[in-house]
Amino acid sequence: MKDGSAFLNDNAQRIVDGMIGDAERLRVAVSRGPLGECLIDAGANAVGGVEAGLRMAEAAMGGLGGVSAFMDRGSEKWPFTIEVRSSQPVLACLASQYAGWNLSGQDYFAMGSGPARALARVEPLFEALSYRDTASSAVLILETAQPPPRAIVEKVGKATGLAPEKLTFLYAPTQSLAGGVQIVSRSLEVALHKTNDLKFPLENIVDGVGVAPIPAPHPDFLTAMGRTNDAIIYGGSVQLFVKGSAKAARKLAEQLPSRASRDYGQPFAEIFKRFKGDFYAIDPLLFSPAEVIVTAIETGDTFRAGGRDLKMLERSLG
């Protein structure tokens, strides 16, 4: 994680340029906002689709992750699966993909993810990350049905130090195919974020891969949000390759699965209702994959914990 690098936003910009060139094939709508910002609708008024969601996920990871969809016939009723992998998972997932930038304002609510976060560095998480981006353009992903209003574009421009015409906002609601795909593409990211919460040294994380089923979209926001979360919490599997002792790797494997959380055991939509819609009242340790494999590459030991919960997937995904 070298200071002065600029590749997260540069990589994402290349992905965005490719989406613009393939807009008709991807069924996304490209436009310019009132301040000159580039807007890519991947599932709000545009049809979008799975391929658009895959491109969104790759842009969200700053081009440092491979994201693909495949049919896993061994996955019971949910064979359509997303695989995410990265050989620079800390940068791809924490410095870029994590949806940690609160961009709410008046009647607008959205959490920002993507490499623009690494330019703004307004989140406490960046205190643990030495990476600094110096790119001349920035990309931000929003889980919303509406493009960002003028005030939000100005806020992002001020935080990143860029003119609005140098900003690209990719957006799609959770209820859309593209939105659901890019959210479920966060199985590795949630594992990395919880790993950081558990105080495991980020510099010891070498590589990682994660999979999770793609749930059917639903027109109701709460149901759609519940399904995308449950796909990872009860159906996600992640393998991490780490440096350090076998003891540390075993401890991480034991603590990392979602079932270690006090709130494990109900569909996410029901948990959300129980806490009266207060997202931050939910145990943050719930947001992790169901199954975890941790390999200590310096000793050759591998540790496994957790497991996919088919009964919970049945309740949530149907």
Side-chain angles (χ1 to χ4, degrees):
M1 291 185 286
K2 297 180 179 179
D3 292 349
S5 298
F7 58 96
L8 279 176
N9 278 287
D10 286 351
N11 287 348
Q13 188 63 54
R14 285 192 288 271
I15 295 168
V16 163
D17 291 342
M19 291 185 72
I20 293 172
D22 292 339
E24 185 174 352
R25 182 172 72 84
L26 296 173
R27 298 180 298 190
V28 301
V30 182
S31 63
R32 287 280 173 179
L35 297 177
E37 69 276 13
C38 180
L39 302 172
I40 301 180
D41 173 359
N45 294 315
V47 176
V50 172
E51 184 64 28
L54 296 175
R55 299 278 193 101
M56 288 183 75
E58 290 176 347
M61 299 182 78
L64 295 184
V67 187
S68 57
F70 64 97
M71 295 293 285
D72 179 4
R73 297 306 305 174
S75 291
E76 303 292 331
K77 295 171 65 176
W78 313 278
F80 200 14
T81 300
I82 287 288
E83 178 182 282
V84 182
R85 58 201 179 278
S86 178
S87 291
Q88 297 195 53
V90 174
L91 285 182
C93 296
L94 298 186
S96 194
Q97 191 183 22
Y98 174 59
W101 193 358
N102 189 335
L103 293 172
S104 303
Q106 296 180 340
D107 296 329
Y108 187 80
F109 175 81
M111 298 298 292
S113 62
R117 296 174 48 248
L119 276 176
R121 294 182 61 90
V122 296
E123 305 158 44
L125 175 60
F126 282 93
E127 295 175 6
L129 303 173
S130 62
Y131 176 80
R132 292 182 181 276
D133 203 314
T134 56
S136 58
S137 63
V139 177
L140 201 66
I141 288 79
L142 303 172
E143 298 168 23
T144 177
Q146 301 294 329
R150 186 186 191 98
I152 298 300
V153 175
E154 290 175 341
K155 177 179 180 178
V156 173
K158 182 178 180 180
T160 59
L162 296 174
E165 59 267 24
K166 297 295 185 179
L167 303 175
T168 297
F169 296 88
L170 274 165
Y171 67 97
T174 307
Q175 300 95 311
S176 68
L177 262 176
V181 165
Q182 77 90 10
I183 295 170
V184 175
S185 297
R186 296 170 183 272
S187 57
L188 182 60
E189 177 253 293
V190 296
L192 266 289
H193 193 262
K194 186 171 179 179
T195 296
N196 184 50
D197 287 343
L198 293 171
K199 309 302 182 185
F200 186 86
L202 295 179
E203 62 271 19
N204 284 359
I205 301 173
V206 177
D207 215 311
V209 61
V211 296
I214 302 174
H218 197 282
D220 176 68
F221 169 73
L222 182 58
T223 302
M225 179 180 67
R227 287 181 174 183
T228 54
N229 277 279
D230 289 338
I232 295 174
I233 293 170
Y234 299 111
S237 299
V238 165
Q239 180 163 11
L240 298 179
F241 298 87
V242 303
K243 295 185 295 184
S245 69
K247 181 180 178 181
R250 175 189 280 117
K251 183 178 180 181
L252 179 62
E254 292 171 348
Q255 293 180 324
L256 204 47
S258 55
R259 66 181 57 192
S261 166
R262 66 165 194 254
D263 291 329
Y264 181 94
Q266 283 184 296
F268 184 80
E270 294 181 16
I271 297 171
F272 193 73
K273 290 178 183 177
R274 175 156 54 91
F275 286 101
K276 297 179 171 57
D278 185 353
F279 196 86
Y280 296 102
I282 301 170
D283 181 10
L285 299 182
L286 178 67
F287 300 100
S288 52
E291 180 182 43
V292 173
I293 304 168
V294 179
T295 296
I297 62 174
E298 294 172 331
T299 67
D301 295 294
T302 294
F303 305 96
R304 299 169 177 84
R308 297 173 74 238
D309 192 329
L310 297 182
K311 289 184 178 179
M312 291 304 302
L313 289 176
E314 184 77 36
R315 287 178 63 182
S316 177
L317 306 192

